[in-house]
Amino acid sequence: MITGKNYIGSQLKASGSKVLKTFNPILNKENPWDFIEATQDEIEEAVTLANQAFTIYRKKSGLEKAKFLNTIADEILALGDVLLEQYCIESGYPKGRAEGERGRMIGQLRAFSEMLTEGSWVQATIDTAIVDRQPAPKEDLRKMLVPLGPIVVFGSSNFPFAFSTSGGDTASALASGCPVIVKSHSMHIGTGEMVASAIIKAAEKTNMPEGVFSNLVGDGRTLGTSLVKHPLVKGVGFTGSIKGGRALCDLAAQRPEPIPVFAEMGSINPVVLLPQALKKNSQKWATAYAGSITLGAGQFCTNPGLLLALKGEELNAFEEKLNQAIEKIQPSCMLHPSIYADFNSGIAKIEAQNGVSKIAQFKGETIPNHGTPTVLKVDGKEFLENKILHSEVFGPFSILIECEKESELIEVISKLEGQLTGTIISEENEIETHKEIISALQNRVGRLIFNGVPTGVEVCASMIHGGPYPASSDSRFTAVGIHAVYRWVRPLSYQNWPNELLPAELQNENPLQIVRTVNNKLTLSQI
């Protein structure tokens, strides 16, 4: 279903005059469908409806919201292969990637549904009164998490499902009790519209208020700026570039009422390759990292863009095997000609720097919009002196840093910006003599990986998909897993309230049978 309209609440709108189109990077031409940019009136309508919906939706029970999220998942699956085909046309990704990412999107929705059904996520905390305490009585205080209000979600370019219309930001915000307005990404508007139709249908089926979800199409600067500046919007979710994320953070901070922006941005995901691991398993790790560098045409936020190792014969052998592996990997289609162009210019800029050499590149012919896998090399001293070499190149690319000694390697890590991941490749017990490397990485990343690859982000409660700035705008939170819900809530404390007027989560009888902290002890018991 391609209508070229904006979903606002349960209605379809199309009153704008500016027409947008998406692009098929495989065929290297525009797609035939027209999409209409949202007008200022439609933006105002979407936000106003979301604010009105909040007064109702925030009071929905966990079970009601869980049913809503499960129904969204069901309706997305009901779209079948037509949705997958649209995804592939607008992204250039193969069908297998579409199926896998759809599964991840569905899994996120189901996980939040389970969290809501269980209910303890609200962190109910109760300190009962002590009326005869001296020298002053202790008041009855009860605290829980409550939703912020309407949330704006910016769809990402590289994950049309998992980080877009019904991705982790939308799923977690809806789970928290916040209505969502999605700014659809311009590269996959049709895919976003189909997913939006499923969400709207699920909202109607589960009796959710009109305006609980809207999907708007438009230019990022115009539409995005209007949404972030709107006084009824209470938070923002973003996945994309450092430039885009920082612009939203600055815009939100300049409002009369500043609001939080949870932006997942740039990361080059450093990998430390220790000597004994390379000596014993250079072929294994060369093959693994050739695959990880090029996975998804290098368009994951966790592709390894920086390999760190000590100078020596072990590294020389690894380089040779990495080159052999990279040469055999056929280029994959990138998301859009603009991303392909930025990829090539990014490599050219780094390759032009002093001391940089090429150690691995696909040798065959390429076709338009297919990124050529490339690995460059530079020594640690040059890397430390040249900030250009620290830049992220979005695509199948990595740069190998050859360090003279461990102290230089540790200095390289300490001078990096914040990262989503950091990886150590080590032979058994080898890391025991390199503990300062662990310490350095811990200070720069959100997720530490041992003897693996950073690509592949498990959707579970223990996952942290975030990190020190600029990997994310707030390193205390994750964009993946059920704990992503905590971005969209705030604590609210009730003092001396009548039991019958308290939320069910805080009542003496514990009617929801959730785990609560009562007088500093975790318990399921009544009071």
Side-chain angles (χ1 to χ4, degrees):
M1 178 181 63
I2 303 296
T3 65
K5 301 180 181 180
N6 296 312
Y7 282 83
I8 302 176
S10 60
Q11 307 297 319
L12 284 169
K13 307 287 182 177
S15 58
S17 58
K18 185 175 179 179
V19 175
L20 304 176
K21 286 183 176 288
T22 58
F23 196 89
N24 186 324
I26 294 177
L27 299 181
N28 199 30
K29 67 177 186 179
E30 280 189 338
N31 290 311
W33 314 291
D34 292 341
F35 300 96
I36 309 302
E37 185 172 54
T39 65
Q40 285 299 318
D41 286 345
E42 289 173 349
I43 295 169
E44 184 66 33
E45 182 183 3
V47 179
T48 300
L49 283 172
N51 188 57
Q52 292 170 356
F54 181 56
T55 62
I56 300 170
Y57 188 60
R58 64 186 296 187
K59 298 174 184 176
K60 293 287 185 179
S61 70
L63 292 178
E64 288 174 309
K65 288 183 289 183
K67 185 178 180 182
F68 177 32
L69 296 185
N70 266 327
T71 305
I72 293 173
D74 293 340
E75 293 298 328
I76 290 171
L77 289 173
L79 293 171
D81 284 352
V82 176
L83 176 61
L84 300 180
E85 291 164 6
Q86 185 71 25
Y87 170 107
C88 295
I89 288 169
E90 292 185 319
S91 69
Y93 287 138
K95 186 177 181 181
R97 161 67 188 260
E99 291 173 330
E101 194 182 329
R102 180 180 63 178
R104 174 172 167 174
M105 175 173 57
I106 297 301
Q108 288 176 148
L109 290 162
R110 305 282 195 216
F112 283 112
S113 179
E114 291 178 7
M115 179 197 78
L116 290 166
T117 301
E118 192 279 328
S120 298
W121 73 276
V122 297
Q123 297 181 356
T125 306
I126 299 172
D127 288 279
T128 55
I130 304 176
V131 295
D132 58 352
R133 189 183 68 173
Q134 295 298 327
K138 177 186 175 185
E139 311 292 349
D140 184 278
L141 286 161
R142 306 187 181 210
K143 180 184 73 174
M144 64 179 288
L145 299 173
V146 297
L148 293 176
I151 302 298
V152 170
V153 170
F154 286 75
S156 72
S157 64
N158 58 335
F159 281 90
F161 286 156
F163 282 95
S164 291
T165 313
S166 188
D169 288 347
T170 296
S172 58
L174 290 175
S176 75
C178 294
V180 170
I181 305 161
V182 169
K183 188 275 172 192
S184 188
H185 197 282
S186 60
M187 290 184 190
H188 43 78
I189 302 172
T191 304
E193 184 177 280
M194 294 181 73
V195 174
S197 73
I199 300 173
I200 294 295
K201 193 172 182 179
E204 292 170 344
K205 281 189 172 183
T206 56
N207 196 33
M208 293 298 152
E210 183 178 9
V212 72
F213 174 84
S214 294
N215 182 69
L216 300 179
V217 173
D219 176 74
R221 290 176 183 169
T222 305
L223 173 58
T225 298
S226 295
L227 288 171
V228 174
K229 290 175 68 175
H230 199 290
L232 297 179
V233 169
K234 300 303 179 184
V236 176
F238 172 84
T239 301
S241 67
I242 296 174
K243 182 180 178 181
R246 183 54 192 258
L248 294 179
C249 289
D250 291 346
L251 193 64
Q254 292 163 7
R255 290 173 31 139
E257 177 199 357
I259 57 172
V261 174
F262 297 101
E264 190 239 296
M265 299 177 285
S267 184
I268 53 177
N269 307 298
V271 178
V272 177
L273 303 152
L274 294 180
Q276 291 305 308
L278 294 184
K279 183 176 182 179
K280 187 170 182 180
N281 287 304
S282 61
Q283 184 63 64
K284 171 186 172 181
W285 293 119
T287 301
Y289 271 87
S292 187
I293 290 166
T294 59
L295 186 66
Q299 296 170 135
F300 286 104
C301 41
T302 53
N303 288 98
L306 191 68
L307 308 177
L308 299 164
L310 297 174
K311 186 176 183 179
E313 293 181 3
E314 298 87 357
L315 179 57
N316 295 337
F318 171 78
E319 280 184 43
E320 182 179 348
K321 291 179 173 60
L322 181 63
N323 179 35
Q324 293 169 357
I326 288 287
E327 284 183 347
K328 297 174 184 176
I329 296 176
Q330 289 285 336
S332 298
C333 186
M334 302 190 77
L335 289 158
H336 193 272
S338 63
I339 289 179
Y340 174 67
D342 288 345
F343 167 69
N344 288 324
S345 63
I347 292 177
K349 185 176 182 179
I350 290 180
E351 196 171 4
Q353 304 304 306
N354 289 334
V356 176
S357 60
K358 186 182 296 178
I359 64 168
Q361 189 173 58
F362 174 75
K363 301 294 186 185
E365 294 186 6
T366 60
I367 56 179
N369 304 321
H370 285 59
T372 302
T374 304
V375 180
L376 303 180
K377 177 183 174 181
V378 71
D379 65 44
K381 183 175 182 294
E382 289 286 352
F383 186 83
L384 287 167
E385 293 176 353
N386 190 342
K387 281 290 186 180
I388 292 174
L389 300 177
H390 298 220
S391 304
E392 179 183 18
V393 176
F394 188 62
F397 169 81
S398 192
I399 182 168
L400 175 64
I401 312 301
E402 183 180 58
C403 298
E404 286 288 343
K405 50 188 177 180
E406 184 169 326
S407 60
E408 185 177 73
L409 190 153
I410 291 170
E411 186 179 3
V412 167
I413 295 172
S414 68
K415 294 296 175 62
L416 293 176
E417 294 181 319
Q419 307 292 328
L420 293 171
T421 74
T423 303
I424 295 176
I425 304 300
S426 170
E427 192 51 33
E428 186 177 357
N429 299 325
E430 184 180 12
I431 192 60
E432 292 294 325
T433 58
H434 300 279
K435 289 185 177 180
E436 288 187 24
I437 293 175
I438 301 175
S439 179
L441 275 176
Q442 282 177 332
N443 193 45
R444 307 309 309 135
V445 308
R447 176 164 55 111
L448 272 175
I449 300 155
F450 186 75
N451 280 356
V453 295
T455 41
V457 180
E458 186 68 32
V459 181
C460 67
S462 299
M463 174 56 66
I464 287 294
H465 192 64
Y469 182 87
S472 62
S473 56
D474 193 328
S475 62
R476 296 171 298 172
F477 297 93
T478 178
V480 174
I482 58 173
H483 292 164
V485 73
Y486 295 121
R487 297 174 295 171
W488 318 118
V489 293
R490 64 181 178 87
L492 177 64
S493 187
Y494 294 82
Q495 182 170 324
N496 292 336
W497 273 75
N499 184 62
E500 65 274 11
L501 296 181
L502 285 166
E505 291 89 345
L506 297 177
Q507 290 176 2
N508 289 337
E509 298 78 13
N510 194 12
L512 302 181
Q513 281 296 289
I514 61 173
V515 176
R516 308 186 296 183
T517 301
V518 179
N519 296 324
N520 299 318
K521 293 182 179 180
L522 287 172
T523 180
L524 282 165
S525 300
Q526 299 182 18
I527 296 173

